[in-house]
Amino acid sequence: MRQPWIIGVSGASGTPYARAVITALLDAGESVDLVVSRAARLTLLDETGATIRDAHWKDDVAAWLGRDLGDLAYWPAGDLAAGPSSGSYPARGMAVVPASTAACAGIAIGLSKDLLQRAAEVNLKERRRTVVVPRETPVTRSHLEHLIALLDAGAVVLPASPGFYGSGADATAQQLVDFVAGKVLDSLGVSHTLMRRWSGRLGER
């Protein structure tokens, strides 16, 4: 039985994080279900020039990822009857990357405004691995309260905060993106080689 990881891409800045996570999951031979919010389409266009259209998602997603899609399925964000909207859908878990403050709030209070929020809520109630990657700074009290609510509900709150110990102060943007993506995959329990791990020895890269 196919058991995909659901990847939700919300409207926060940071679509390269989503691309790195999806690519690494596919490289690991995992199945992926992709949900891109309406706001995320605007961010994706602004940050990468890529467009994702529901009717042409195969070509558009392949162009964005720059690779063969492998076992990737796509669900329109407005389709609240989609598979991931139900707890009986056999998903392994979900990552919302990047996670906007609006998406975090909607998931935390069970708003289910769109498929992304609904799928995340379903994964939480089913006690499946659920990772949210907020990318906002500075944060307000309400932002923190929603993140605490997600943590209490069982989510892993994983801010997009890259470490430099694996690549040094001259790290490339891609190395910093891969560090965060690697932490997401660690939280999902999926093996990867996206980042150099701490060895316990200073200066070793």
Side-chain angles (χ1 to χ4, degrees):
M1 180 174 59
R2 183 178 182 271
Q3 286 188 287
W5 294 104
I6 303 168
I7 302 299
V9 185
S10 76
S13 176
T15 54
Y17 294 120
R19 181 181 182 275
V21 168
I22 295 166
T23 298
L25 286 172
L26 294 175
D27 285 346
E30 300 286 340
S31 301
V32 173
D33 277 16
L34 176 63
V35 181
V36 182
S37 76
R38 293 181 63 184
R41 297 185 193 205
L42 298 176
T43 307
L44 189 64
L45 179 63
D46 183 60
E47 292 184 343
T48 70
T51 58
I52 295 182
R53 301 160 293 175
D54 291 345
H56 304 280
W57 70 266
K58 287 185 178 180
D59 291 337
D60 292 348
V61 174
W64 172 41
L65 299 180
R67 57 162 296 151
D68 176 80
L69 294 181
D71 188 4
L72 183 147
Y74 172 86
W75 299 96
D79 185 3
L80 290 175
S85 69
S86 172
S88 66
Y89 186 73
R92 296 186 63 187
M94 181 171 182
V96 182
V97 52
S100 67
T101 55
C104 289
I107 298 164
I109 66 175
L111 186 60
S112 292
K113 183 185 79 169
D114 59 11
L115 180 60
L116 186 153
Q117 292 184 17
R118 173 60 184 167
E121 181 189 355
V122 164
N123 277 269
L124 286 173
K125 79 179 182 67
E126 297 294 329
R127 299 295 190 264
R128 297 170 183 155
R129 297 191 192 201
T130 306
V131 181
V132 292
V133 185
R135 202 238 52 86
E136 184 65 79
T137 189
V139 293
T140 67
R141 182 182 181 89
S142 66
H143 297 158
L144 294 172
E145 288 173 344
H146 289 137
L147 294 179
I148 291 171
L150 289 172
L151 184 70
D152 289 346
V156 174
V157 177
L158 198 157
S161 302
F164 286 80
Y165 56 79
S167 48
D170 295 325
T172 65
Q174 190 60 54
Q175 286 174 315
L176 299 179
V177 166
D178 285 347
F179 182 95
V180 173
K183 296 292 282 185
V184 173
L185 266 70
D186 283 351
S187 295
L188 297 177
V190 177
S191 298
H192 65 89
T193 57
L194 285 173
M195 64 185 190
R196 184 185 296 273
R197 298 183 183 278
W198 177 244
S199 66
R201 291 183 290 274
L202 292 172
E204 184 175 281
R205 294 188 180 84

